Amino acid sequence: MTAVAGFRDYASLFAQHQALLTLNDEVDGEVVGKTLAGRDIWAYVIGDPDSTTAEGFPESAVLINGGIHAREWQTPEAVTSLFETLVAAKTDGGFFQFIVDNLNTIVVPVNNVDGFIQTQLFPETVTADRRQPREGRMRRKNLRNPVTNSF
């Protein structure tokens, strides 16, 4: 499913993340927060279970975020691609296997789930029209209602 040619919608990205979590022992995941609308924000850790390097030292960690801003459709794709690559090449006998065996890679593919989904409701509407200020691909403001301080 694509929201606009070349980009997956949130449901498709999330399904891929959950499949990678379910099908691979090197992947762990958990909900690390909730959005204003009550949606889960997921983080995934790609790494081996022993948490030590080949030399016996504690493994370092790196955090990679995507989808911080609602209109960032490329960053969730890029983070998902990295996630997919690490899992697919985990036994390549080279660089990627070294990374999986010696580093905990934490990925948060979509931080701003509400905004990301909102911009994909009308993906081809690219104007900031006062008649539909909360819709469209180019929406910039957050979804918090300033009067009620809620969604």
Side-chain angles (χ1 to χ4, degrees):
M1 306 245 334
T2 57
V4 169
F7 296 100
R8 290 173 276 192
D9 65 10
Y10 179 74
S12 295
L13 286 169
F14 181 68
Q16 175 65 352
H17 304 151
Q18 291 296 299
L20 292 167
L21 169 63
T22 303
L23 299 172
N24 296 281
D25 292 337
E26 298 80 16
V27 179
D28 193 14
E30 65 182 73
V31 175
V32 294
K34 292 274 189 191
T35 68
L36 188 61
R39 295 181 177 104
D40 293 335
I41 301 170
W42 278 81
Y44 303 90
V45 180
I46 304 103
D48 65 352
D50 69 7
S51 297
T52 58
T53 65
E55 295 81 17
F57 298 110
E59 290 178 349
S60 296
V62 61
L63 173 64
I64 302 167
N65 291 302
I68 296 169
H69 303 288
R71 298 185 299 169
E72 291 180 0
W73 289 7
Q74 181 57 38
T75 59
E77 291 287 348
V79 173
T80 300
S81 179
L82 173 67
F83 189 176
E84 293 166 334
T85 300
L86 285 170
V87 170
K90 64 189 174 195
T91 59
D92 71 351
F95 177 73
F96 291 107
Q97 184 172 345
F98 179 83
I99 293 296
V100 172
D101 288 346
N102 294 285
L103 181 70
N104 289 305
T105 303
I106 305 161
V107 295
V108 182
V110 184
N111 279 294
N112 184 358
V113 179
D114 293 344
F116 187 65
I117 290 171
Q118 186 71 23
T119 64
Q120 291 186 333
L121 290 176
F122 301 96
E124 295 180 18
T125 303
V126 295
T127 61
D129 191 330
R130 288 188 179 276
R131 290 170 291 175
Q132 55 173 197
R134 296 179 70 90
E135 311 299 352
R137 172 74 178 95
M138 298 306 287
R139 176 170 174 71
R140 288 206 61 210
K141 301 298 180 188
N142 66 33
L143 298 175
R144 186 179 305 273
N145 183 319
V147 175
T148 64
N149 202 30
S150 63
F151 186 71

